[in-house]
Amino acid sequence: MLGAGVDDRMMQSAKIFCPYCGKPLERRESDGRSRLYCGAEARFIYENPIPAATAIVTGEDGRMLLILRSREPGRGCWALPGGFIEMGESPAEAARRELEEECGVRASDPSLVDIIFQDSRYYGTSLLLIGYSFASYAGTPRPGDDAADLAFFDPAHLPDLAFEAHGRMIERFLERREELRRLWTEEV
Ligand SMILES: [Zn+2]
């Protein structure tokens, strides 16, 4: 997790021009926050966190599916399958799509695990990570898209993860595992 100053600088360099009129933006204090401001239009430009979805799939032995990332951020580190939610797509659909793209499996019966907030230096913004666990999947996992490899891991012996937020999501899943399993059973 990074200090606010680092992220402020990232955001300043990432977004310099007004998305509405194209004039240069500045930063102004309002309500105790440093916000982007368009002097030409005399208005603040509000920035919002970007939502991403992530998928937790476990085998019958309880081991958890992780991918080895082939791209930045987190290249060469393990992570949960997932990515940004696209327009017109629900968070659960996004988690399912990313899982299929990265691992080649079709998952079903999603349960919301948690929503985790993270400041991302790489993207220069805040992220909302929305995590789903899937009760079942079809197909043989094989790496695709931005996964160089994949493997099932014992949750008690996970490798180093690319993102701290994924570690927190896995902790939440393990805490809620029995409760989530009951939910799936009731839905069937
Ligand atoms: Zn403007």
Side-chain angles (χ1 to χ4, degrees), residues 17-25 37-43 45:
F17 299 99
C18 176
Y20 303 104
C21 73
K23 300 268 169 53
L25 293 176
Y37 184 79
C38 176
E41 296 179 285
R43 64 159 158 172
I45 306 298

Side-chain angles (χ1 to χ4, degrees), residues 7-128:
D7 271 344
D8 278 354
R9 282 196 298 279
M10 290 291 294
M11 285 160 97
Q12 232 161 352
S13 61
K15 204 174 286 180
I16 303 166
F17 299 99
C18 176
Y20 303 104
C21 73
K23 300 268 169 53
L25 293 176
E26 56 191 274
R27 281 202 168 259
R28 276 202 186 179
E29 289 287 323
S30 80
D31 301 326
R33 299 182 74 97
S34 168
R35 292 186 164 128
L36 291 172
Y37 184 79
C38 176
E41 296 179 285
R43 64 159 158 172
F44 285 97
I45 306 298
Y46 292 96
E47 299 176 289
N48 307 108
I50 295 175
T54 193
I56 293 180
V57 158
T58 52
E60 281 180 15
D61 54 5
R63 289 189 302 156
M64 188 173 288
L65 183 60
L66 298 180
I67 63 158
L68 185 65
R69 291 184 56 84
S70 62
R71 281 187 225 166
E72 297 293 353
R75 186 164 178 259
C77 293
W78 294 89
L80 290 169
F84 292 111
I85 300 169
E86 293 182 5
M87 206 59 81
E89 183 178 57
S90 77
E93 284 166 356
R96 200 161 174 261
R97 173 182 54 75
E98 290 285 348
L99 186 66
E100 187 169 12
E101 289 172 2
E102 295 178 345
C103 304
V105 296
R106 295 282 295 167
S108 49
D109 304 323
S111 296
L112 178 65
V113 175
D114 206 350
I115 300 171
I116 289 175
F117 167 82
Q118 185 183 31
D119 266 328
S120 168
R121 182 174 65 155
Y122 185 82
Y123 291 109
T125 187
S126 300
L127 301 179
L128 286 182

